[in-house]
Amino acid sequence: MIRDAYAVRTGVGPRPLAGGRVPRPVIEVIERDDGLINGAPADHYLDEPEDWQPHDHRALRLCRGHVLDIGVGAGRIAVELQRRGMAVTGLDTSPGAIDIARRRGLRDTVVTTIDAYAAGAPARYDTFLLLGNNLGLLEGPERAPVFLAALARLANPGARIVAQGTDPYRTTDPVHVTYHRRNRERGRLGGQLRLRLRYRLLATTWFDYLNCSIGELAELVSGTRWRLVSIDEEDRPYYLAVLELTG
């Protein structure tokens, strides 16, 4: 999908066509386990800084030292950090996404899961980035401490996590409110999404992805080696959370 979006934007490489020579818009289809289907243009993975949300710019000002961009995608954040002279590694499980990130100039990339990387990587980091709503990679109460422990194993003393999340409860949409209630009835957090992504003939397996309130985030972090030190809610319902390593 990201390769196709890159081809449509740049004109380089084969492009999906709409029955002729007109490039077809590249749409990421997001399917939720209650049957809700949404679509979003995949071109946003390639956005340059002038197209970013304000919280993305504020997040970059919080970066320091050696940065690990987790879920780097096409490298929109990591490439800009590199332009600014920072040492940055882009990690993603998608070889196609990493291919495009490298074509866009990102020099240091890893194709793996965060768990596998933490088990054997010699590198240590001062900042972990979870932007583009990638706080959702915490998945839920069972996965969150495992994920955070993996980051702690990769961390230098005093490291920080800079994460962008979404408070799911700042909506009155009955479709979402009903979903939150359904989740709670099943013993899940209200915003604990069960999703799969589709593009043309491709589909991921089903996976959990977490939208949580700030209070829920504080509970998920409690008992780990990380502490929640600041929240930026200027662009609510989106927020930036900064966590720092203790001990």
Side-chain angles (χ1 to χ4, degrees), residues 66-70 87-91 110 114 117 125-130 151 154:
H66 193 182
V67 179
L68 180 64
D69 187 344
I70 302 166
V88 55
T89 301
L91 180 148
V110 183
I114 194 64
Y117 192 55
Y125 297 92
D126 305 290
T127 303
F128 300 96
L129 280 183
L130 294 167
L151 298 194
L154 290 165

Side-chain angles (χ1 to χ4, degrees), residues 69-114:
D69 187 344
I70 302 166
V72 69
R76 67 181 185 95
I77 299 290
V79 169
E80 178 60 21
L81 285 172
Q82 187 176 273
R83 287 175 186 149
R84 298 182 184 190
M86 296 195 72
V88 55
T89 301
L91 180 148
D92 208 289
T93 59
S94 167
I98 290 292
D99 173 52
I100 296 305
R102 292 193 65 83
R103 286 200 229 173
R104 299 179 78 202
L106 186 60
R107 293 188 290 269
D108 189 10
T109 59
V110 183
V111 183
T112 189
T113 65
I114 194 64

Side-chain angles (χ1 to χ4, degrees), residues 165-177:
T166 302
D167 187 335
Y169 310 121
R170 294 181 180 272
T171 180
T172 57
D173 186 324
V175 172
H176 298 309
V177 171

Side-chain angles (χ1 to χ4, degrees), residues 118-229:
R124 292 295 178 266
Y125 297 92
D126 305 290
T127 303
F128 300 96
L129 280 183
L130 294 167
L131 301 186
N133 210 44
N134 271 346
L135 185 63
L137 295 175
L138 293 180
E139 296 186 18
E142 292 184 0
R143 171 64 179 161
V146 177
F147 183 89
L148 293 170
L151 298 194
R153 290 196 297 274
L154 290 165
N156 282 322
R160 62 174 45 171
I161 299 169
V162 179
Q164 187 258 307
T166 302
D167 187 335
Y169 310 121
R170 294 181 180 272
T171 180
T172 57
D173 186 324
V175 172
H176 298 309
V177 171
T178 298
Y179 186 75
H180 300 157
R181 183 172 64 250
R182 173 176 175 263
N183 270 345
R184 293 190 188 97
E185 289 170 353
R186 295 190 297 163
R188 293 163 64 87
L189 293 179
Q192 191 174 348
L193 310 177
R194 188 72 176 165
L195 305 173
R196 66 176 174 180
L197 306 180
R198 303 185 66 93
Y199 175 66
R200 304 193 87 187
L201 299 178
L202 304 175
T204 69
T205 57
W206 291 94
F207 61 93
D208 280 352
Y209 198 75
L210 183 64
N211 287 334
C212 63
S213 68
I214 294 163
E216 288 170 336
L217 175 61
E219 291 182 11
L220 291 171
V221 171
S222 178
T224 74
R225 292 184 60 196
W226 300 91
R227 65 188 181 98
L228 183 60
V229 295

